[in-house]
Amino acid sequence: MGVFDTPQEAFGILRPVCVQLTKTQTVENVEHLQAQLRAVSESALQELQQYVLFPLRFTLKTPGPKRERLIQSVVECLTFVLSSTCVKEQELLQELFSELSACLYSPNSKKPAAVSEELKLAVIRGLSALMHSAYGDIILTFYEPSILPRLGFAISLLLDLAEQEKSKQVKIAALQCLQVLLLQCDCQDHPRSLDEHEQKQLGDLFASFLPGISTALTRVITGDFKQGHSIVVSSLRLFYKTVCFIMADEQLRKVSKVQAKPAVEQRVAELMIHRTADWVKNTGDKLTILIKKIIECVSVHPHWKVRLELVELVEALLLKCNQSLVESAGPLLKALVGLVNDESPEVQAQCDKVLRHFADQKVVVGNRAFADILSENLHSLATSLPRLMNSQDDQGKFSTLSLLLGYLKLLGPKVNFILNSVAHLQRLSKALIQVLELDVAGIKVVEERCWNSDDLSASPKASAARPWNQIQRRYFRFFTDERIFLLLRQICQLLGFYGNLYLLVDHFMELYRESVVYRKQASMIVNELVAGAAGLEVEDLHKNHIQTSPEELREIVTSVLEEYTSQENWYLVTCIEAEEMGGELTMKQSSLQAITSNAHTCQVTSSPALSKPSPTVCSMNSNIWQICIQLEGIGHFAYALGNDFRLLLMSALYPVLEKAGDQTLLISQAATSAMMDMCHACGYDSLQHLINQNSDYLVNGISLNLRHLAQHPHTPKVLEVMLRNSDASLLPLVADVVQDVLATLDQFYDKRATSFVSVLHALLAALAQWFPDRRQLQEQSLGKEGSHLSQRPATLQKGLENTTTAKDIEQFLLNYLKEKDVADGNVLDFDSEEDEPSVPPEVGKSDTRPDVEPPLPLQIQIAKDVMERCIHLLSDKNLKIRLKVLDVLDLCVVVLQSHKNQLLPLAHRAWPSLVHRLTNDDPLAVLRAFKVLRTLGGKCGDFLRSRFCKAVLPKLAGSLVTQAPISARAGPVYSHTLAFKLQLAVLQGLGPLCESLDLGEGDLNKVADACLIYLSAKQPVKLQEAARSVFLHLMKVDPDSTWLLLNELYCPEQFTPPHPSLCPVQLRGATGQQNPYTANVLHLLKELQ
């Protein structure tokens, strides 16, 4: 169907339809009209507007009952016409408004008519289309005092629908229509911009409806959550837009004191409102009651969009009505700050935006009334804060603290007015102290220990350091929600940023000194105050705020640092160590005690050896957390001062290094984190760089404190941490200190041996890593590859390859007998004399100056001195010290391996004590001693051969034979026992020892006999694997004997003589029957081929 652009054409097709509708009012005729209207252009329809509207209006006005479907069709058609045209006559606008409104009214009940939801929706949409179709200033002429009754009638109908209607769609449409009627719709072009006079006229007119609108909307807003969030959002928007229009401060300032008499009927004049100061105050008081109800309900609404609209409401009312609604400022500000930490990021972002806008416009700070209200609210909150923190659950605490944080953000620098009040500062501080109390009842904090590894710990790069505000996980007495702790930190940071830092730090340090109960909480608060004063991640809403100067901040940090690291606050009891008591505690060397004694044992029960009562687990936990918090504080201070913290390194680094070497895991971790913070703040690349650059002053402090060890018992830990986190360039600086340590060890070996042995272990581990003997390792690897398997098997193979003649077999046997005589020491005199002349020339070549020995390298001299002390301490009665000394001795051998002239005499002196550890000591010590023996065997094999064969090998072999039946019968739990670990270690070590010591045939037979039983399938799998490794090494030393021994156990094939003159060889294992050794023997023989 074509479009009719001219009025004439349109009239031609519309006239019959309009006439027909006027004669017969049916749904079909209305629908026919609407179908024809779609074919008419808007310009043509505008010319024929009243002609088309006549039959529709006539249908509505016709007396008598009408079907709802007909009315609905008429209203929909009328809406179509209005949405396509403009109403240019005031009278037509008012008449249509009345006619449409009447469709919703029931004269009998004086309430909205009980009609269908579709009809209600159609009428509401018709009213909206009508108001939007008003042309130009026609809309303003509509809003005259004379329209008050009809407008009030329509508004009341729409409010009833919004409040009582069940259909969600109708409720939302009614609320949107109300916005249109009150000229507050969201359309950009409707209404046009109004001047001040027009706004005042409309404000006077709408003021009559404010009580009814506000109360009805409040009932909708505070209704059941089930009605849906969109209805609440629309109601909130209509509420604050209406209130802001009628109660706007700009309008009210221009209202005259005397009301002009309007030229209207008396009945209408009585409806008019004159917005005097008294009316504004009374209305404001009543609105405050409604606003409180709304805030109370909406602030906890489950849907984030509703809470977001509440933020919009607060912003609009406080910006436009801050004078007329001054009594509502308190609840509105409370609602805003309460949503600062909302769970929804959208609400949080909008809150931050509004707060920043308020700060820029000085809405609160520049408004004395608002500032006073806010200060009064903060006073009230500070007064009740201790009670609330004690009585509320986690969610309640979170809400209360969010409120406090928001108040601080809004007040900004004006928070000092409250902090200057002693009473309120005390209440605020006591509440913070109370809620931050830690739970120190658990034993886990004391139990977690640091285990020093043999390898030097790598220095972490400061560039990859953790964020400054990441701290250790804590457990609090009065809350479990992590968000509460984050809120408390933000509150303390804001106090430090806006408050008087001198006043706050002085107050909380006074609480720190006042009682042990307050000390941890006060430390946490002071740490955050300093971080906040430096502006670390603090959101500054007040741009003109003057921060604490760097000089003042450094002075405050210096005083707090001195307090933290003072003797009474830094060296708290965190663990009871046996050697640091009045005397040594004697303990039986049971397996369990031996296993647990490697860490400092925390005694929580009283002991007769102590003159003072033993500290409880709770007190030690508390002390551990106290030290950790102070260490974290030092890290915070470093970040706060930045490069200026270099000036405090002299006083901060040494104590932190002491704690980095602490045996308590939490303390060690906190100290390491603090050092990383120092690196980041002061521009060091790594912990190694930090220590190396400050090593001169650290070494000086260690040297001085070693002279007064009783007053500075933790001094060795500093050197230990330095060694674990540095490189070879540190050695010349610490060489003298090492000598001091050795001298002090000689003096206090019976009291403080454990601390010094730990330092020596770190020292030797560092030397082993800094000065590896690569040449020796290469020689050993090359020598092992081609030593024995390239000699004896070659002879055997040569004899076996050419087996065609009896002469070859005879020569092979003669060579074998000669080698056997040499191995047994049966060598003729002339044979030895032939070898002697080759010795003197060799000596002569090397000994050019026999009287002068070249100076030893520094690391060799240190290792030699340390090994001498270890020899004496090997027999210490304390198992823990013996184990540590054995580890140090092992490292000494590694460092000295390239200087045999120093190593061999020391090995000779250490041998008796080492044998005693191997043969008559706790199983743990035996394990550690066997590890030392393996290292010694690898570094000085020939020197130990006879000693090992006489003193150690028989007992080791006997022990293996004795334990074999036990392990064969044991179940899976046996692999967790100390006996199993000892068997495994011996089996794993015997093979390399046999190879490195180059044992003779008789000793090799002892080893083979002892290990043979472990090839049985009845033994645990790991022991079988270890036994196979022994025989693999024996193959390298003596493949012939090993081959024969294995074939005696199980022979997989028959051997034919190489020559007819020889008798057949019959081995005991050639029975062809399977036995427990079959699988392992076959595996080994396959390796031997």
Side-chain angles (χ1 to χ4, degrees), residues 940-956:
C940 44
D942 295 340
F943 178 78
L944 288 182
R945 186 184 300 118
S946 61
R947 300 165 187 263
F948 172 75
C949 294
K950 291 177 182 177
V952 179
L953 183 56
K955 294 191 176 180
L956 288 180

Side-chain angles (χ1 to χ4, degrees), residues 488-508:
L488 289 165
R489 293 182 66 191
Q490 291 176 24
I491 288 168
C492 296
Q493 288 166 15
L494 273 181
L495 286 172
F497 187 72
Y498 291 122
N500 184 337
L501 191 62
Y502 279 106
L503 171 68
L504 289 167
V505 170
D506 184 66
H507 177 75
F508 283 103

Side-chain angles (χ1 to χ4, degrees), residues 743-875:
T744 312
L745 175 60
D746 294 341
Q747 185 179 358
F748 294 101
Y749 70 91
D750 57 338
K751 295 180 181 178
R752 301 199 173 274
T754 301
S755 299
F756 288 108
V757 172
S758 295
V759 175
L760 296 181
H761 185 270
L763 172 64
L764 268 297
L767 292 180
Q769 180 172 340
W770 296 344
F771 304 100
D773 194 350
R774 295 184 178 88
R775 180 180 57 83
Q776 183 72 15
L777 292 174
Q778 289 173 358
E779 288 179 1
Q780 286 180 355
S781 61
L782 291 173
K784 285 180 181 178
E785 286 176 5
S787 59
H788 301 286
L789 283 176
S790 63
Q791 295 171 8
R792 296 182 190 176
T795 309
L796 175 64
Q797 208 167 2
K798 182 180 177 182
L800 291 176
E801 282 175 0
N802 304 314
T803 54
T804 54
T805 64
K807 187 177 180 180
D808 293 331
I809 297 173
E810 181 183 359
Q811 186 61 42
F812 167 72
L813 292 173
L814 289 173
N815 290 340
Y816 173 74
L817 291 172
K818 185 177 180 180
E819 282 189 357
K820 190 172 185 300
D821 288 337
V822 172
D824 293 340
N826 300 326
V827 185
L828 298 176
D829 292 338
F830 66 85
D831 292 334
S832 60
E833 287 174 4
E834 289 176 1
D835 297 336
E836 284 178 4
S838 61
V839 178
E842 199 174 317
V843 176
K845 288 178 185 176
S846 60
D847 265 344
T848 54
R849 297 184 63 187
D851 297 336
V852 180
E853 291 186 1
L856 294 173
L858 184 57
Q859 73 272 16
I860 300 300
Q861 185 61 52
I862 290 174
K864 178 183 174 184
D865 295 339
V866 171
M867 191 166 177
E868 288 177 351
R869 268 68 174 191
C870 290
I871 293 169
H872 296 293
L873 292 171
L874 271 177
S875 302

Side-chain angles (χ1 to χ4, degrees), residues 333 336-337 340-341 348-366 374 402-414 490 493-494 497-498 532 535 537-547:
L333 289 171
L336 180 63
V337 298
V340 166
N341 287 294
Q348 279 190 28
Q350 186 62 24
C351 271
D352 290 340
K353 181 180 175 183
V354 171
L355 287 174
R356 285 189 177 279
H357 184 54
F358 281 4
D360 293 341
Q361 301 294 323
K362 298 191 182 301
V363 172
V364 175
V365 179
L374 204 56
S402 296
L403 197 61
L404 176 60
L405 179 65
Y407 284 155
L408 293 176
K409 283 185 176 181
L410 276 175
L411 275 175
K414 288 191 177 252
Q490 291 176 24
Q493 288 166 15
L494 273 181
F497 187 72
Y498 291 122
E537 295 187 11
V538 174
E539 186 182 12
D540 182 16
L541 301 178
H542 307 270
K543 295 180 180 178
N544 297 327
H545 171 62
I546 301 173
Q547 287 185 239

Side-chain angles (χ1 to χ4, degrees), residues 976-1083:
H976 299 285
T977 63
L978 204 54
F980 172 83
K981 293 175 183 176
L982 189 57
Q983 281 175 285
L984 185 63
V986 172
L987 286 170
Q988 289 173 340
L990 268 179
L993 272 174
C994 291
E995 185 178 352
S996 59
L997 297 179
D998 198 12
L999 298 185
E1001 186 176 358
D1003 296 320
L1004 290 176
N1005 289 337
K1006 291 179 184 177
V1007 173
D1009 291 340
C1011 298
L1012 208 57
I1013 193 171
Y1014 289 95
L1015 292 177
S1016 171
K1018 297 178 181 179
Q1019 296 289 341
V1021 175
K1022 286 189 176 181
L1023 294 185
Q1024 293 181 51
E1025 293 172 356
R1028 287 204 302 267
S1029 72
V1030 174
F1031 282 96
L1032 288 173
H1033 284 280
L1034 291 180
M1035 290 176 190
K1036 297 178 182 179
V1037 181
D1038 191 354
D1040 302 333
S1041 299
T1042 307
W1043 179 87
L1044 183 61
L1045 183 65
L1046 293 173
N1047 277 282
E1048 287 287 321
L1049 272 180
Y1050 177 75
C1051 184
E1053 57 182 328
Q1054 296 289 334
F1055 296 99
T1056 57
H1059 195 272
S1061 61
L1062 296 176
C1063 298
V1065 177
Q1066 185 66 35
L1067 300 175
R1068 279 183 292 177
T1071 58
Q1073 294 182 357
Q1074 298 282 332
N1075 59 49
Y1077 304 96
T1078 301
N1080 288 315
V1081 169
L1082 287 173
H1083 184 277

